Amino acid sequence: MKNWWEKRDPSGWIDLAGESIVRPQDLPARLSADTLRRDAVAAVFPMKVNPYVLSLIQSAEDPIGLQFIPHPAELEDTGRSSDPLAEERQSPAPQVIHRYPHRVVLLVSNQCAVHCRFCMRKRRMADPGQVSHALIERGIAYIRGNASITEVILSGGDPLMLGDDQLLSILQDLRGIPQVRLLRMHTRVPAVCPRRITESLARRMSAFHPLYINIHFNHPLELTPAAMTACHRLADAGIPLGSQTVLLKGINDDARVLCQLMEKLLFNRIRPYYIHQVDRVPGTAHFQVPIQKSLQLMNGLRGKLSGLAMPHLMIDLPGGGGKVALTPEVVVARQKDHWLVRNWEGKIYTYPCG
Ligand SMILES: *Cc1c(COP(=O)(O)O)cnc(C)c1O
Ligand code: SF4
């Protein structure tokens, strides 16, 4: 029998739909509470939970269940803008988001291995099918014609939902553009569908160095042996790995959970990169952590974690202003010739500023 990731529709993308649960009423008995209300949510924001992720969920209210099982609270803030970051306005060509001078995002896939309930691109979740190759080629043509673009970030959806050949041909096209020095991919697949990361895929991707991969992990329970095997494969292929985490109320807004997550990531050669405030799209308000609390959590990490494991806390400014790192306030007072600075234990020190 063929492996599922070799099952592709004619356009070459990976179709997991047949294996995934897309209706709350089809969830196993342990997750069947409140099904009617959850069905109403899934009618607005589609659900998709694959068998691997399902196996990690014990209850709808545990840290994995809360990320993937539709929750009635999602219908309480549907009046929000679905594109607060103005990604559509900053799209000069199909599938391209060009917000910064030298780096662009190229959206190569509409599909994900699962639907995260807090997704910033929730507006695109219902898109059927996959991005057409013609559209991706127009995006690539825009990049080719723009001499100042030195970095391309493949995102989506999830780029690893493309078939191997299609993904590699996009990497190949981008590598053929002289000014593009750096390739990067943002994916959740190693965490939510680890068997997709085959030896052969990792080996073939290693032909495109420097290629960086940032993987979305939110909770230590996601760092299963299978997920770590997938990550080790990528790291062994020489691909530097980073992590991105979305701060989520009731899931990981806890200093002990975050410490454990960041440490485990680092021990597995995944360098923590960003922790994001959840973007304010419809259906996500119940995940929002107040920014003051986020800063306190970051303060709790400093000093306890290796500097290598310290991510930046990022907000993405509404209206397309871009990402900004927030840091806990460490300068308590600024005198003429010295500053008063607070260390990780809360003690105040004098530092000459001349
Ligand atoms: C996040 C993002 C990037 C990448 O930002 P880094 O800080 O380099 O990780 C680039 N373009 C857009 C539109 C983004 O949203
Ligand atoms: S994997 Fe990423 S893009 Fe896909 S649903 Fe989750 S957060 Fe959104």
Side-chain angles (χ1 to χ4, degrees), residues 123-320:
R123 67 180 185 279
R124 306 167 64 103
M125 235 177 222
D127 289 0
Q130 191 49 296
V131 183
S132 78
H133 200 68
L135 282 185
I136 296 174
E137 276 179 348
R138 284 171 61 194
I140 293 174
Y142 169 82
I143 294 166
R144 189 177 292 118
N146 193 320
S148 61
I149 297 172
T150 54
E151 176 178 7
V152 177
I153 302 162
L154 300 188
S155 183
D158 201 308
L160 288 175
M161 291 301 286
L162 297 174
D164 292 10
D165 291 344
Q166 204 188 356
L167 178 67
L168 290 153
S169 97
I170 292 170
L171 292 173
Q172 185 87 53
D173 288 350
L174 292 169
R175 265 285 159 256
I177 303 175
Q179 71 270 25
V180 174
R181 309 297 298 276
L182 205 57
L183 298 176
R184 197 199 311 183
M185 198 181 292
H186 283 185
T187 177
R188 206 169 184 200
V189 157
V192 293
C193 195
R195 62 184 176 161
R196 168 75 185 91
I197 311 299
T198 57
E199 294 272 7
S200 139
L201 176 63
R203 191 178 57 247
R204 292 177 72 189
M205 287 199 298
S206 72
F208 297 99
H209 290 316
L211 166 67
Y212 285 69
I213 296 187
N214 276 348
I215 309 169
H216 180 163
F217 281 107
N218 292 332
H219 195 278
L221 288 173
E222 294 163 20
L223 280 71
T224 62
M228 294 307 94
T229 300
C231 292
H232 297 167
R233 267 188 192 154
L234 296 171
D236 288 347
I239 300 169
L241 302 179
S243 75
Q244 308 212 78
T245 297
V246 181
L247 208 47
L248 299 165
K249 187 169 159 187
I251 295 174
N252 60 14
D253 59 338
D254 177 289
R256 290 218 326 270
V257 170
L258 287 176
C259 265
Q260 212 187 18
L261 173 62
M262 301 307 153
E263 265 187 343
K264 273 191 161 180
L265 287 167
L266 192 64
F267 297 162
N268 284 285
R269 293 182 281 162
I270 306 159
R271 176 99 194 259
Y273 179 57
Y274 285 167
I275 292 188
H276 297 275
Q277 282 290 115
V278 67
D279 288 314
R280 294 169 178 269
V281 301
T284 62
H286 59 297
F287 288 119
Q288 196 82 40
V289 178
I291 214 154
Q292 193 57 40
K293 171 151 190 202
S294 308
L295 283 168
Q296 279 165 7
L297 288 168
M298 294 305 290
N299 222 5
L301 300 185
R302 180 48 81 193
K304 298 209 183 75
L305 281 181
S306 159
L308 289 172
M310 268 308 282
H312 293 291
L313 173 65
M314 305 304 285
I315 56 174
D316 218 325
L317 297 173

Side-chain angles (χ1 to χ4, degrees), residues 87 97 99-100 103-105 153 184 273-274 316 323:
E87 291 188 331
I97 309 171
R99 177 174 295 153
Y100 301 107
R103 60 200 194 280
V104 296
V105 170
I153 302 162
R184 197 199 311 183
Y273 179 57
Y274 285 167
D316 218 325
K323 292 189 187 69

